[in-house]
């Protein structure tokens, strides 16, 4: 039985239906609000606005819960692989062994990119940011592969093609930017090991695949795989709502993720920690700047629109730092700084009052440094991890009978009507 909220304005009372989610979340359905009341709602940053119903990811920001298709991310990080988690997000269920084998074959079959794509890379300025290159190259895939003819038949090929090639394209940008020989994907290597090999193998120094590093990369990408309607996923859904091809929609998601307030924060955290280290290691001035309302400086890797407690992914990432660094007997001074910064910040009234805790980006850069990923590739690593989530959300929106072209309204606050003034009268 549908519940309603009553909206009273003047002598009128409007009844708006209440929607309840499977975890008890409640929403007021305003899809007919303007038609019935003449009003729209206003919600900068959509902090209180749901764009869709979704079966993919559940987050509870107060309790620090994150589940993909109902499975807690902690269990997936411990027991699953990134490939299996990608299958779960996109198809809704964990794969059988047969389904996983078929998925692996498809990923292998589609891991190469057209040789002509190398000319694109060679014509980017050497200092180009890898996120700008990746967004362009994913968009360029449309030129090499036909439009989705039949969503159902084509989707598995197109989706798997994109999941597989994004690794190859990311590794190519790393090798070509350094003037190194491009390393091709190997059919005998699994998803994560193949990426590491493409990144770090070389004719003069063969890359030795370490199972702990492969596990760390699987966990890193599982933790990034989806996060409901975040900025970049909303960009994918909005651009996709115009019925543009999947590559263009994903390219828009990559562009949105690049921002330092979003996925670009993992690079910004390391740059912030490096600045602290290079200015003598005193964190107090940075904490004071973060608290100063007149200073646009933000403590990168802290705070979240949804989590008002510790980001569950940050907890796992922090444990992974300790494991990886002790495995390779690495002492990363930035980790000491990060832990000191966290300890001081979490005792500050400002951070307590604003519910500011470390988010997924705060420790992820330390993990990536330990693996050997360069700082300017950190957000590319986030993008590769988030790709199955973007694809799953795009697919869900394409299959949603109620999904239509995204087109928000506005409240106009500009000048009232006035006449054109010829230039000699201005
Ligand atoms: C990701 O949405 C997702 O799910 C994203 C993500 C995903 O997986 O897709 O989780 C990935 O993007 C994580 C977030 C990475 N970004 C950063 O680490 C950048 C630093 N963080 C902030 O910029 C900020 O916390 C945001 C952008 C993440 C969230 O900010 P909101 O929800 O828009 O809140 P806000 O900016 O309006 O801040 C609310 C208050 C403000 O103070 P008041 O004006 O109310 O007094 O909190 C303060 C802010 O000044 N604040 C911070 C702060 N974050 C918020 N103050 C200092 N340092 C910070 N980091």
């Amino acid at each position: 039985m549908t519940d309603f909220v009553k909206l009273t304005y003047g002598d009128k009372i409007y009844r708006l239906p209440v929607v309840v989610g499977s975890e008890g979340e409640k929403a007021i359905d305003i899809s007919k609000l303007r038609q019935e009341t003449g009003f729209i709602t206003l919600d900068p940053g959509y902090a209180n606005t749901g764009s869709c119903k979704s079966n993919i990811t559940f987050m509870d920001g107060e309790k620090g819960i994150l589940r993909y298709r109902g499975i807690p991310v902690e269990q997936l990080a411990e027991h699953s692989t990134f490939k299996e988690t990608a299958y779960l997000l996109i198809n809704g269920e964990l794969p059988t062994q047969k389904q996983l084998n078929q998925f692996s074959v498809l990923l292998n079959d589609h891991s190469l990119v057209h040789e002509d794509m190398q000319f694109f890379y060679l014509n980017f300025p050497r200092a180009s940011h890898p996120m700008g290159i990746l967004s362009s190259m994913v968009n360029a895939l449309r030129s090499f592969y036909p439009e989705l003819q039949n969503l159902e038949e084509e989707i598995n090929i197109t989706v798997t093609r994109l999941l597989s090639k994004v690794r190859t394209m990311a590794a190519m940008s790393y090798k070509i930017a350094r003037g190194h020989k491009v390393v091709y994907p190997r059919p005998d290597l699994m998803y994560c090991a193949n990426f590491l090999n493409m990144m770090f193998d070389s004719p003069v120094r063969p890359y030795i695949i370490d199972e702990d590093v492969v596990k760390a990369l699987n966990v890193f990408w599982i933790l990034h795989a989806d996060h409901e309607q975040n900025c970049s996923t909303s960009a994918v859904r909005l651009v996709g709502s115009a019925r543009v091809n999947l590559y263009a929609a994903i390219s828009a998601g990559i562009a949105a993720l690049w921002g330092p307030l979003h996925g670009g924060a993992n690079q910004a955290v390391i740059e912030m920690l490096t600045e602290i280290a290079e200015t003598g290691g005193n964190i107090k001035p940075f904490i004071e700047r973060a608290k100063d309302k007149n200073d646009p400086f933000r403590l990168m890797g802290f705070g979240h629109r949804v989590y008002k407690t510790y980001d569950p992914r940050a907890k796992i990432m922090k444990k992974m730092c300790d494991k990886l660094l002790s495995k390779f007997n690495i002492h990363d001074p930035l980790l000491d700084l990060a832990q000191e910064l966290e300890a001081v910040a979490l005792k500050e009234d400002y951070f307590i009052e604003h519910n500011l805790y470390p988010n997924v980006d705060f420790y992820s850069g330390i993990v990536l440094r330990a693996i050997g990923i360069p700082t300017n590739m950190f957000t590319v690593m986030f993008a590769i991890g988030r790709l199955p989530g973007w694809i799953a959300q795009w697919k869900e929106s394409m299959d949603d009978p109620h999904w239509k072209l995204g087109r928000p309204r506005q409240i106009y606050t500009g000048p009232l009507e006035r006449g054109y003034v010829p230039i000699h009268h201005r």
Side-chain angles (χ1 to χ4, degrees), residues 134-135 138-140 142 147-148 162 231-257 387 390-391 393-395 397-398 403:
L134 187 66
S135 180
V138 166
N139 215 350
R142 169 69 184 79
E147 182 77 63
L148 281 177
L162 193 44
C231 175
S232 53
T233 298
S234 299
V236 170
R237 277 180 170 260
L238 187 63
V239 169
S241 73
R243 293 296 187 264
V244 77
N245 65 79
L246 173 61
Y247 305 117
I250 297 297
S251 173
I254 296 170
L257 188 74
L387 183 56
W390 285 333
I391 290 171
Q393 299 274 352
W394 171 84
K395 200 165 167 256
S397 68
M398 290 297 125
W403 186 254

Side-chain angles (χ1 to χ4, degrees), residues 5 32 39 59 73 89 115 199 203 206 211 242 284 356 362 400 415 421:
V5 293
K32 295 194 173 43
F39 282 69
M59 289 169 66
V73 73
L89 283 167
E115 286 293 317
M199 283 285 289
E211 284 316 312
K284 272 316 261 175
L356 301 177
F362 191 61
D400 179 351
V421 177

Side-chain angles (χ1 to χ4, degrees), residues 36-335:
E36 289 176 9
T37 71
F39 282 69
I40 64 166
T41 57
L42 203 52
D43 185 21
Y46 309 113
N48 305 283
T49 298
S51 63
C52 60
K53 293 178 184 173
S54 177
N55 301 329
I56 300 170
T57 291
F58 172 68
M59 289 169 66
D60 181 319
E62 282 64 36
K63 296 180 186 147
I65 292 173
L66 175 59
R67 300 188 200 126
Y68 298 156
R69 300 287 189 180
I71 302 175
V73 73
E74 294 84 353
Q75 293 183 26
L76 291 166
E78 189 175 347
H79 303 298
S80 186
T81 62
F82 174 61
K83 180 168 51 182
E84 185 182 67
T85 298
Y87 186 99
L88 167 70
L89 283 167
I90 293 167
N91 298 288
E93 297 295 337
L94 287 166
T96 61
Q97 189 59 60
K98 182 167 179 269
Q99 288 167 329
L100 192 59
N101 295 345
Q102 286 168 339
F103 192 42
S104 291
V105 167
L106 269 179
L107 285 169
N108 261 339
D109 289 352
H110 295 281
S111 56
L112 289 168
V113 295
H114 195 292
E115 286 293 317
D116 288 356
M117 288 195 106
Q118 292 212 26
F119 298 115
F120 292 25
Y121 284 93
L122 292 169
N123 287 288
F124 276 104
R126 278 287 175 270
S128 302
H129 195 287
M131 279 297 275
I133 295 173
L134 187 66
S135 180
S136 312
M137 300 311 278
V138 166
N139 215 350
L141 281 175
R142 169 69 184 79
S143 311
F144 292 90
Y145 300 101
E147 182 77 63
L148 281 177
Q149 306 308 328
N150 169 320
L151 205 53
E152 271 322 301
E153 285 156 37
E154 287 284 316
I155 188 69
N156 286 337
I157 300 285
T158 302
V159 155
T160 315
R161 175 187 288 143
L162 193 44
L163 279 171
S164 187
K165 291 182 191 317
V166 75
R167 285 174 302 178
T168 311
M169 293 194 289
M172 278 173 76
S173 72
Y174 173 68
K175 286 294 198 188
I176 291 171
R178 277 153 188 74
H180 294 177
K181 187 171 164 35
V182 167
V183 174
Y184 283 67
R186 282 173 33 185
D188 61 314
L189 293 178
M190 292 289 118
Y191 194 91
C192 293
N194 226 335
F195 171 76
L196 290 166
N197 192 63
M198 285 190 275
M199 283 285 289
F200 301 124
D201 193 40
S202 86
V204 292
R205 192 180 325 117
Y207 179 66
I208 312 295
I209 291 167
D210 179 297
E211 284 316 312
D212 286 339
V213 174
V214 172
K215 172 66 180 169
L217 185 54
N218 269 289
V219 172
F220 181 92
W221 276 339
I222 287 169
L223 295 179
H224 286 83
D226 193 53
H227 218 233
E228 55 135 279
Q229 306 311 316
N230 57 84
C231 175
S232 53
T233 298
S234 299
V236 170
R237 277 180 170 260
L238 187 63
V239 169
S241 73
R243 293 296 187 264
V244 77
N245 65 79
L246 173 61
Y247 305 117
I250 297 297
S251 173
I254 296 170
L257 188 74
W258 192 359
L261 293 189
H262 190 13
N266 56 17
Q267 174 174 342
V269 167
I270 293 299
E271 289 165 352
M272 175 185 73
L273 293 173
T274 304
E275 187 188 349
I276 296 173
E278 288 172 353
T279 52
N282 180 8
I283 57 173
K284 272 316 261 175
F286 291 85
I287 296 275
E288 291 314 309
R289 282 189 60 195
K291 290 158 55 177
D292 179 355
K293 293 190 74 57
N294 301 315
D295 188 330
F297 173 78
R298 287 277 197 280
L299 208 56
M300 301 317 279
F302 261 75
H304 199 276
R305 175 64 56 80
V306 175
Y307 290 127
K308 298 311 169 192
T309 182
Y310 215 102
D311 185 330
R313 303 167 297 175
K315 284 182 189 162
I316 301 169
M317 207 65 88
K318 187 175 176 182
K319 279 195 205 121
M320 213 150 64
C321 285
D322 298 336
K323 190 168 174 213
L324 265 185
L325 296 184
S326 56
K327 150 112 189 165
F328 292 112
N329 197 22
I330 300 171
H331 173 247
D332 188 341
L334 297 191
L335 176 60

